[in-house]
Amino acid sequence: SLKQLASTWPDLWECHDDASYTQLNYPVTNSEKEWADEIHNLSKLVVDGLKYPYLKAISTSLGCFDPKHQTIKLLEAILVAKEVNHVEVDGIIAPLKEIQLLRTKIAGHRKGDEGKQLIAGLMRKRGSLRDHFRTLVAQTDKALKVLLGLKF
């Protein structure tokens, strides 16, 4: 879905490094390090590809720009302003927020108590970090497909 998004909507998203496509892999073990590395790769590929200048321009034109917001929050504000169904908005935004939260709290920085609690919660909910990652990728792919169907 990312390659389709890049070709269909290049103002919104682009891959900064084509090697990112091949660097992202499903974890094969339940190692926290392997999972955290793949969360980091997923974030770099999906979230970092969102283009702030485009989202800023669209949100400004819709009157919903907030200079405190980064790409995910701007995208959410645009979808709300365009009166996209709230279930679709959540389906698009929730996986992106989760990816970024996990990158911030676990993958990108030294893991503190909050990171340990997040991992414990994911393990309870999904059974394994490997299963969590597969589910998150599927949710992200679905979100991107819904996003592809929208125009703004």
Side-chain angles (χ1 to χ4, degrees):
S1 295
L2 286 174
K3 288 183 179 181
Q4 186 179 2
L5 186 61
S7 64
T8 305
W9 214 341
D11 290 339
L12 175 64
W13 187 88
E14 74 175 337
C15 180
H16 295 293
D17 180 6
D18 284 340
S20 297
Y21 289 116
T22 58
Q23 290 172 346
L24 181 66
N25 295 294
Y26 287 109
V28 294
T29 70
N30 280 319
S31 157
E32 284 184 23
K33 181 177 180 347
E34 180 186 20
W35 170 82
D37 289 346
E38 294 309 327
I39 290 291
H40 190 258
N41 290 337
L42 182 63
S43 178
K44 284 182 2 187
L45 183 61
V46 176
V47 178
D48 291 0
L50 291 169
K51 292 185 173 180
Y52 182 84
Y54 177 74
L55 293 168
K56 179 182 177 182
I58 297 297
S59 61
T60 299
S61 73
L62 293 171
C64 60
F65 175 71
D66 184 333
K68 293 180 247 158
H69 291 166
Q70 294 300 313
T71 57
I72 297 171
K73 289 294 280 179
L74 287 177
L75 178 58
E76 182 176 24
I78 291 166
L79 296 173
V80 169
K82 295 293 276 180
E83 299 181 354
V84 174
N85 176 299
H86 74 279
V87 173
E88 286 185 329
V89 172
D90 187 55
I92 293 167
I93 298 301
L96 301 177
K97 283 184 175 179
E98 182 174 351
I99 291 166
Q100 195 60 25
L101 173 71
L102 293 172
R103 179 180 180 179
T104 301
K105 298 296 180 186
I106 297 166
H109 305 285
R110 188 171 170 180
K111 180 175 56 185
D113 287 340
E114 188 177 0
K116 290 175 186 175
Q117 290 173 354
L118 280 169
I119 288 174
L122 293 173
M123 294 287 286
R124 280 191 302 277
K125 185 176 180 180
R126 296 286 176 214
S128 73
L129 294 175
R130 188 177 64 209
D131 290 344
H132 165 265
F133 189 84
R134 287 188 174 279
T135 301
L136 184 57
V137 168
Q139 291 169 340
T140 303
D141 187 57
K142 182 178 178 183
L144 295 173
K145 287 177 180 170
V146 172
L147 187 60
L148 277 163
L150 303 174
K151 288 292 174 204
F152 56 80

